[in-house]
Amino acid sequence: MTHATDRTVLTDDELLRYARQVLLEGWDIDAQLRLKSARVVMIGAGGLGCPASETLVRAGLGQVHLIDDDVIEMSNLQRQTLFLPADIGKPKALTAAQMLQQINPLIKAQGTVARLSLDNAYELLDMAAGKPDLLLDCTDNFATRDIINRISVRYQIPLLSASAIAMEGQLALFEPHLHSGCYHCVFGAPSIDTELNTVLDERTCANSGVLASTTAIMGSLQANAALQYLGLTKNPLTGKLLLWDGSRMQQRLMGYRQDKDCPICTV
Ligand SMILES: [Zn+2]
């Protein structure tokens, strides 16, 4: 008898649950097994984190760990698909993990109520148990994105970064070990006013608004890239930044390279 915790075989339940995926051309049992063995840490269990984690968990991602220090508010329900009105006031990370575990009991979903920093990253990412296979940035502010990028480079963990605002989104998959560029190479440093200690010129969902479909689309695109990376060991966005413009229904890819003077990934 095989168990869901055995990562070298698929159980009968798993074969049944993932049947439509295993049937796919270009996706086979080996791809499904790689996905089953994978551990992903997602920072942010909100507008992007909800649809991205739900798709990954339904698809058979073995272990997902959500980190978020926020609680659920009424204004989140418009787009944060794992939450119900009864969840208002509860921590997002734990509520989302609980829901994901119910959606797919064959995987392991974990939530931690915390704010990720350079100081607590080793512990929060459970590096003692080995590196996660992929970090998913599902946050909504530039300062946190910068910290996640530094963590990705420091520990050499691939980073799949998505953002969504108003009717626009961006997606990139950085692989630090390839020296092909990091988040800082593409977007630069957050402009910090040290006296005020706040990031200036920053648009967030809270101050600029976001259409419900923008986060759903970007979270799904993020899951789409993650599944290929984890299951097929293929980065569909090598050296490319994906830009989504929801008002024109346009998606385009913009090339980027490592900035040879980048203070984060070239030192
Ligand atoms: Zn860089």
Side-chain angles (χ1 to χ4, degrees):
M1 191 179 157
T2 52
H3 296 274
T5 47
D6 184 345
R7 307 229 164 83
T8 60
V9 284
L10 294 176
T11 62
D12 290 347
D13 282 351
E14 286 168 335
L15 282 169
L16 194 59
R17 186 178 269 258
Y18 310 129
R20 296 298 178 277
Q21 209 155 274
V22 175
L23 258 180
L24 257 175
E25 207 182 310
W27 187 280
D28 52 16
I29 299 274
D30 287 340
Q32 196 64 46
L33 282 170
R34 278 193 289 270
L35 189 61
K36 180 180 178 178
S37 325
R39 179 165 77 95
V40 167
V41 176
M42 303 183 59
I43 302 102
L48 293 164
C50 284
S53 64
E54 181 176 342
T55 297
L56 290 173
V57 157
R58 285 189 189 274
L61 169 64
Q63 291 182 68
V64 64
H65 181 188
L66 297 139
I67 299 172
D68 196 311
D69 68 343
D70 234 352
V71 295
I72 299 156
E73 295 175 27
M74 178 66 90
S75 63
N76 298 150
L77 299 182
Q78 163 248 18
R79 66 196 177 285
Q80 301 187 11
T81 51
L82 293 172
F83 308 135
L84 302 170
D87 296 324
I88 289 170
K90 294 181 189 168
K92 287 185 185 181
L94 302 179
T95 309
Q98 222 168 45
M99 184 60 104
L100 293 170
Q101 196 64 75
Q102 284 181 58
I103 287 170
N104 188 352
L106 305 181
I107 60 94
K108 188 181 164 206
Q110 183 192 349
T112 302
V113 183
R115 182 172 286 249
L116 186 67
S117 70
L118 281 164
D119 293 334
N120 66 14
Y122 189 90
E123 190 192 345
L124 271 184
L125 301 183
D126 198 13
M127 295 287 291
K131 282 197 267 191
D133 296 287
L134 186 62
L135 290 180
L136 261 64
D137 181 349
C138 303
T139 60
D140 70 348
N141 72 83
F142 205 50
T144 313
R145 289 178 187 287
D146 185 65
I147 290 168
I148 297 169
N149 183 53
R150 286 166 194 265
I151 292 167
S152 155
V153 172
R154 178 185 286 183
Y155 296 112
Q156 299 283 290
I157 308 169
L159 168 62
L160 177 55
S161 175
S163 67
I165 202 111
M167 293 178 75
E168 293 162 28
Q170 295 170 342
L171 185 70
L173 176 43
F174 303 105
E175 295 177 273
H177 64 284
L178 298 181
H179 305 289
S180 50
C182 73
Y183 189 85
H184 191 281
C185 292
V186 180
F187 295 101
S191 34
I192 306 269
D193 180 325
T194 44
E195 275 182 32
L196 293 171
N197 198 25
T198 52
V199 177
L200 303 173
D201 301 326
E202 183 185 288
R203 289 195 303 162
T204 67
C205 292
N207 67 28
S208 302
V210 62
L211 197 68
S213 50
T214 309
T215 45
I217 288 164
M218 294 315 298
S220 295
L221 286 172
Q222 195 176 22
N224 186 71
L227 288 176
Q228 291 183 68
Y229 190 71
L230 299 168
L232 305 175
T233 62
K234 173 188 160 192
N235 181 351
L237 289 172
T238 301
K240 292 191 181 86
L241 173 71
L242 183 155
L243 301 163
W244 163 255
D245 178 347
S247 63
R248 294 182 186 160
M249 302 290 281
Q250 276 179 355
Q251 179 180 301
R252 62 195 177 91
L253 297 174
M254 197 185 83
Y256 68 83
R257 287 193 182 152
Q258 185 181 40
D259 173 0
K260 296 299 172 199
D261 298 320
C262 177
I264 312 297
C265 71
T266 60
V267 286

